[in-house]
Amino acid sequence: MLLAQVLLNGVLLGALYGLMALGMALVWGVLNIVNLAHGALIMLGGYVVYYCYTLLGIDPLLALPVAMASMFATGYLLQRFLLNLIVRGALLNTLLITFGLDVVITYLGQVVFTADFRTINPSYSGANFMLLGLTVPVLRLIAFGIALLLSSALWFLLNKSGLGRAIRATAQNLVAARLYGVDPRQVYAVTFGIGAALAGAAGGLYGMISHLTPYIGSSLTAKSFVIAILGGLANPFKVILGGIVVGVAESLAALYIGPTYTDVVSFLLLVVILVVRPAHALRAA
Amino acid sequence: MSRKHSFACAIGTLLATAGLAHAQDVIKLGAAVQLTGSEANTGRYYRDAYRLTIDKINAAGGVNVGGKTYHLGLTLLDNQSDVNLGVRQYVQLITSDKVNFLLGPFASNHALNDSSIAEKYQVPMVQGGGASTQIYSRGYKYVFGTLPPADDYYASTLDMLAKADPKPRTVALVAADDSFDVSVAKGTRNHVKDAGMTLAVDQTYREGNADFSTILAEIKSKNVDAILWSGHETEALNFLRQMKGLNVNPTNYYGFTVGVPTEDFRKALGKDADFAFGMTSWLADASLKDRWFGDAIAFAKDYADKYQYAPDYHAASAVADVETFAMAFEQAGSLDPKAVRDAIAKVEFDSVYAHIKYGPNGQIVLPQIVIQIQDGKVVPVYTDRVLNKAYYPIPPWNRRP
């Protein structure tokens, strides 16, 4: 029974991890930018939901679209006016600039939001029900559902829409895409915007399940990085699956080895994947 | 020597003397504190309390050292919640900023490392941010501390539980893996045994961890009577929220080393904070008299008026650190680091924080007051005797008003 409960916890948590990594994997796959500011964008999304809930009284789940929209705009503008300038530079340059962005956003975050820790705490945040002898936390189940919903939406967008075809074409062959009339600057900005919007949704859910401070970003970036590599950059469902693998692995490690070793296990998974299937892991969208 | 040159020399000498005269008037205290980074939320107590106390002492005329009056000055650096940076900054404070004496950072892992610099350069440090007994087990002569030993944080709680009805029989101990919490866990294991209880779950988690679902599932499966938890505030917050989400209900009691006395914690949790037990070495009380502030109530008011948030024991402990120096300077009648160090070891006075007197190892001994959040307010319930009635046993989540 304990094992079943731990597995369930791992799966539910893992899907949220997957949602966090989804935006990073998309941007990485299409733009070849490893966005080290991804966690900071998750943090910003969390604060948007927090203020919608505390200042405007909007239910946090209904505020998720608000966070997604505002983070889309933020991401679009960041890419259009900043990252597009260096998008075709060496990988090291994009790493450096997104690292710088991370520091800037985090410290602006402290100035604006202060270092106080906060939670998004609606009345149903602690709700749970029993199923087959297992305790199911409602909010984590909702987060699981939203992760599946958003990854499906992203899959449809990429595979069934004109915009998705343009995004994939740009990732696969930039010259050919331009010959067919795709404007890469626009596609890059929209893609980064979508990545940021997904980060925004993840941030809102993270604030409801865990807590917010301006400093949560860096550890979430690291986690997203591991999952993006585990899940590969091509398929949104595989990213969610990657998240679940990490969530379950961490939970089992906490149970059998000890809670001190959860991070060791997820990074060990990363090493194993990179050794065993490096080409698969980094194949672009 | 040309006239121009000698003029420049004269100006230089004049400036140097002026600088010297100035340096003689001010005793420079230095500290590297978490002003940014993940611990900035607690680091601010030290920044604000150091400043407030120094202003207060200066406004009262400063300190009299061997017949000469000095004001106190403060050089404050931001260690960005980074232990390694903090250590380098303490070296900088001594070697290039030329501060005379050292105040401490927040948290045991910082204090543990930073205090080695104080010892190496033989510059006294009084710190109110590190409680781990590791800090005081190295035979250092120049390090003093105003937080009581971490090993005994749960002593008064277990004393209370041993006399409680119903008395808990099985206990889960959950602690982070940093210096402070390792120290708490080590001491608590002994106290649990002494109280005649069994440790059913004993888990250590990684500092900064945000997911406790596995530990909670284990606690639930063992059906324990009490949970003793030790870690940092955001982790306490996550633990408590996940307890509710996973419907984990120890039969009698759950308590935290940190968080409960802090305003932020109660604000973030709202009603879910109710019933949680905690501990504090300090509560604002009129019986705590102070030479500069009057009493602890007046201090709490001054502090809240100036900084727009309420002080907790971190801030009060930081006040005692600055006051320790002021008292020691006067008693030593000299600013020689060795003389001041010896004076600190002997100093004894009342402050807003507590009656200050350092043990032979440099650490103060104070009982922890057991507190509980009752209807959104922090209520002291026990020290070595009952202070107020506790809501005990804690009702399960689904049977709360």
Side-chain angles (χ1 to χ4, degrees), chain A residues 2 5-6 9-10 13 17 107 110 114-123 125-128 130 135-140 206-213 215 250-252 254-255 258-264, chain B residues 35-42 44 78 80 177 203-206 208-215 217-221 233-235 237-238 241-247 259 262 264-265 267-272:
Chain A
L2 175 60
Q5 180 73 52
V6 168
N9 294 343
L13 179 69
Y17 285 171
Y107 281 81
Q110 181 178 337
T114 76
D116 290 1
F117 48 81
R118 300 169 201 273
T119 60
I120 304 166
N121 208 3
S123 57
S125 70
N128 54 69
M130 295 296 286
T135 311
V136 185
V138 172
L139 203 52
R140 290 191 181 216
Y206 188 78
M208 280 186 247
I209 284 169
S210 186
H211 70 279
L212 297 172
T213 73
Y215 305 102
E250 285 189 359
S251 297
L252 290 179
L255 182 64
T260 329
Y261 299 100
T262 50
D263 283 356
V264 178
Chain B
L35 304 183
T36 59
S38 57
E39 287 157 355
N41 194 45
T42 311
R44 64 180 174 168
D78 175 15
Q80 298 175 22
D177 62 355
Q203 286 289 13
T204 307
Y205 68 87
R206 207 171 117 71
N209 176 47
D211 182 66
F212 292 96
S213 53
T214 304
I215 298 177
E218 191 188 351
I219 289 175
K220 195 172 182 178
S221 75
E233 281 161 347
T234 49
E235 296 150 18
L237 190 77
N238 280 318
R241 296 187 85 202
Q242 289 166 27
M243 262 180 85
K244 188 180 179 196
L246 291 164
N247 197 24
T262 311
D264 262 15
F265 182 83
K267 264 207 295 215
L269 284 166
K271 276 184 84 65
D272 293 345

Side-chain angles (χ1 to χ4, degrees), chain A residues 4-28:
Chain A
Q5 180 73 52
V6 168
L7 285 175
L8 173 74
N9 294 343
V11 169
L12 293 183
L13 179 69
L16 177 60
Y17 285 171
L19 179 58
M20 285 178 189
L22 205 50
M24 184 183 230
L26 176 71
V27 168
W28 192 346

